[in-house]
Amino acid sequence: MSSPTRSSEEINAKARRAGIASFIGTTIEWYDFYIYGTAAALVFGEIFFSDTLPNGVGTLLAFITLWAGFLARPIGGIIFGHLGDRIGRKNTLVITLMMMGVATVGIGLLPTYAQVGMWAPIGLVTLRVIQGIAVGGEWGGAVLIASENAPKGKSILYSAFAQQGSPAGNLLATIAFFLLSSMPTPSFLLYGWRIPFLVSAGLVILGMIIRLKLEESDEMKAVLARKKVVKLPLAEVLRKHWVLVLLGAGALPLAQVTYFKNTFALSWATKELGYDRGTFLAAIAIALVVQFIVQPFGAVLVSKIDMRKAMCLMVIPEFVLMPAMFFAIRTGNFTIAVVAMCLATIPHSMFYGAIAGVLARAFPANIRYTGLSTAYQLCSLVVGGGTPVLAQWMLNTSGNIVGVAIVSGLYALVSLICTLLLLRRTGYNASELSTAEQADYDELELENALADTANSPKSEAGEIPTGRATV
């Protein structure tokens, strides 16, 4: 909710600046995070672990290091959620971007297992954990800097700016490795894979310049001005809003299916199904372009109609489309695989475009960063990083893709149920204040009325003059 003292032109201009800055910053952060997943699928199992391991084990271990970043994300959500709710959103976003850049460049400079033995995977996991802490603190702040600066009734639409950073960053990561896919394998293993990580240094500098020019949201300014910051936001969230956190985390598995498609499937297709590395990266890139195009329409749909109906329209098709994608890839036909990947992308990308704004509406402004981050990173901890690990383990033990396909469909079912339960608590109309937002508004109005009462001149009878509100 933007400040009523601003003109509509000022509100819209500030909202656009915040949205664009949020998009660019999250694009850079997600690029750094996603190049790790691509490299884990293609190369980390071979260069950071012993070559004496059985077939598939090196890849499984690489995916476990990928998971380490997800295990660390709740730590980032707690630390930076705390800071974001106490000192503001802007400063935390500057810190998280710097951390991500340092960790990513560090990975690009790491020696391999052949050079330093076990120190190689130890260094890899350490830097991946730093990445996880950074992105764990990034997401909630980026969503809020966009949604809290939005014009009235458009917070879900503007939160989609931050969400666009995920497919954009993923696409940049995929393109980076696609451009390197024509390198001879020995050169790619020796130094080619490092290039996308080292390029991150320039991107982070660009992001820092943009973020340092950001303006804090009016809602957070109001919290700071009224001294309504909470001493321990996490304790407040867990004491009063734990049900919302659990429902929010339960709503998000569908946002994690991208790791079935872009990480696990990349490894499976190139190492077991005979797809060329560049060919399958091209398929992923095409699906990511589709995601980037259709994702904002999820926020538009949720903003236009009853949110329960919108969620059902978006999620139910994924029950079939995501499982079908694996069987399409298994045909070995590039065209069939691409079409199936693009179709499976549409439901979960539209859902992803809308869900951040839906979750942001669930929590009061003074603990919103912590509540939003805790819900998202709890899901990432349990589901996100574990997705390629689970899929690879199921493939290794069963030798077929059926179990993986079934589990991918279950992600959508869990998300739909929890989202509908969450909406029962927050409201079904995006153009109206949510339950938490209405409570914030009522509290502010009450404080203003009390202030007016205290400052009003009194009549001789000691009564407040006619026309003043009384409480």
Side-chain angles (χ1 to χ4, degrees):
M1 295 175 288
S2 299
S3 170
T5 61
R6 294 177 182 266
S7 69
S8 60
E9 293 80 6
E10 290 175 322
I11 292 171
N12 290 332
K14 184 184 178 186
R16 285 193 298 270
R17 289 195 300 271
I20 293 170
S22 179
F23 165 67
I24 293 174
T26 52
T27 296
I28 295 168
E29 291 247 10
W30 282 117
Y31 165 83
D32 287 356
F33 202 72
Y34 281 127
I35 55 175
Y36 190 102
T38 305
L42 293 176
V43 67
F44 282 176
E46 298 177 52
I47 66 170
F48 285 113
F49 299 95
S50 173
D51 57 8
T52 61
L53 294 171
N55 184 45
V57 174
T59 299
L60 181 60
L61 291 174
F63 285 157
I64 291 175
T65 71
L66 175 73
W67 197 2
F70 289 87
L71 295 175
R73 280 168 66 167
I75 299 173
I78 292 169
I79 293 172
F80 292 106
H82 177 89
L83 292 175
D85 282 329
R86 288 186 59 81
I87 65 173
R89 319 323 192 185
K90 173 184 173 178
N91 292 331
T92 60
L93 291 175
V94 171
I95 298 169
T96 58
L97 185 59
M98 180 62 72
M99 285 181 61
M100 177 63 85
V102 169
T104 302
V105 173
I107 292 171
L109 298 173
L110 273 178
T112 65
Y113 186 91
Q115 294 171 313
V116 296
M118 282 301 298
W119 287 110
I122 290 173
L124 184 66
V125 170
T126 300
L127 292 172
R128 179 59 178 174
V129 166
I130 296 174
Q131 275 195 328
I133 292 173
V135 82
E138 155 76 16
W139 182 81
V143 168
L144 295 183
I145 209 73
S147 64
E148 289 181 348
N149 281 300
K152 184 178 179 181
K154 295 184 178 180
S155 62
I156 293 179
L157 284 174
Y158 275 77
S159 71
F161 274 98
Q163 297 297 76
Q164 285 297 93
S166 179
N170 203 344
L171 181 59
L172 286 178
T174 303
I175 290 173
F177 278 96
F178 174 77
L179 294 175
L180 297 168
S181 64
S182 60
M183 291 182 67
T185 298
S187 298
F188 180 75
L189 294 175
L190 181 63
Y191 68 87
W193 68 270
R194 299 180 185 273
I195 296 173
F197 290 86
L198 300 178
V199 166
S200 173
L203 296 176
V204 168
I205 292 172
L206 172 63
M208 290 293 291
I209 293 172
I210 293 170
R211 287 209 163 156
L212 288 170
K213 295 181 180 179
L214 271 176
E215 184 179 350
E216 189 59 76
S217 72
D218 289 332
E219 283 191 79
M220 192 60 206
K221 285 180 181 178
V223 169
L224 295 171
R226 294 160 56 213
K227 303 185 186 305
K228 289 295 181 179
V229 294
V230 178
K231 185 176 181 179
L232 290 173
L234 180 62
E236 182 83 358
V237 167
L238 296 181
R239 183 171 66 252
K240 295 184 178 180
H241 306 283
W242 61 271
V243 175
L244 291 176
V245 169
L246 291 179
L247 289 176
L252 287 164
L254 187 56
Q256 310 294 336
V257 296
T258 185
Y259 297 103
F260 277 123
K261 180 180 63 183
N262 299 345
T263 304
F264 164 74
L266 174 60
S267 174
W268 175 54
T270 56
K271 295 179 179 179
E272 298 196 24
L273 301 182
Y275 283 87
D276 174 73
R277 185 170 61 219
T279 298
F280 203 80
L281 283 169
I284 292 175
I286 293 169
L288 286 169
V289 171
V290 171
Q291 179 177 355
F292 187 82
I293 293 170
V294 305
Q295 184 168 284
F297 290 102
V300 173
L301 185 63
V302 166
S303 298
K304 296 293 184 182
I305 66 175
D306 185 294
M307 288 196 279
R308 294 166 295 184
K309 182 178 180 180
M311 287 298 176
C312 290
L313 289 173
M314 288 188 289
V315 176
I316 289 175
E318 194 78 326
F319 295 171
V320 175
L321 293 177
M322 182 54 69
M325 180 195 75
F326 291 102
F327 298 104
I329 293 172
R330 195 174 64 177
T331 66
N333 185 293
F334 177 79
T335 302
I336 294 175
V338 169
V339 170
M341 290 171 70
C342 289
L343 290 175
T345 294
I346 293 172
H348 70 252
S349 60
M350 290 181 66
F351 175 83
Y352 186 71
I355 194 62
V358 172
L359 288 177
R361 287 164 46 89
F363 298 97
N366 62 345
I367 51 93
R368 186 173 292 149
Y369 199 144
T370 299
L372 181 62
S373 295
T374 302
Y376 188 84
Q377 306 313 337
L378 178 60
C379 178
S380 296
L381 170 69
V382 177
V383 178
T387 292
V389 175
L390 173 64
Q392 187 67 41
W393 175 80
M394 293 179 74
L395 182 65
N396 287 354
T397 54
S398 68
N400 65 67
I401 203 66
V402 174
V404 177
I406 293 172
V407 169
S408 69
L410 291 176
Y411 275 33
L413 178 61
V414 172
S415 287
L416 181 60
I417 292 171
C418 290
T419 300
L420 294 176
L421 291 174
L422 179 69
L423 290 174
R424 286 183 61 184
R425 292 174 171 267
T426 61
Y428 305 126
N429 191 333
S431 65
E432 299 175 354
L433 296 179
S434 68
T435 304
E437 290 171 334
Q438 186 65 54
D440 282 342
Y441 179 80
D442 291 343
E443 182 181 358
L444 179 60
E445 289 292 290
L446 178 60
E447 289 180 4
N448 290 339
L450 290 171
D452 284 347
T453 301
N455 295 328
S456 295
K458 295 189 177 182
S459 65
E460 292 183 0
E463 295 182 353
I464 296 172
T466 303
R468 292 286 186 177
T470 59
V471 180

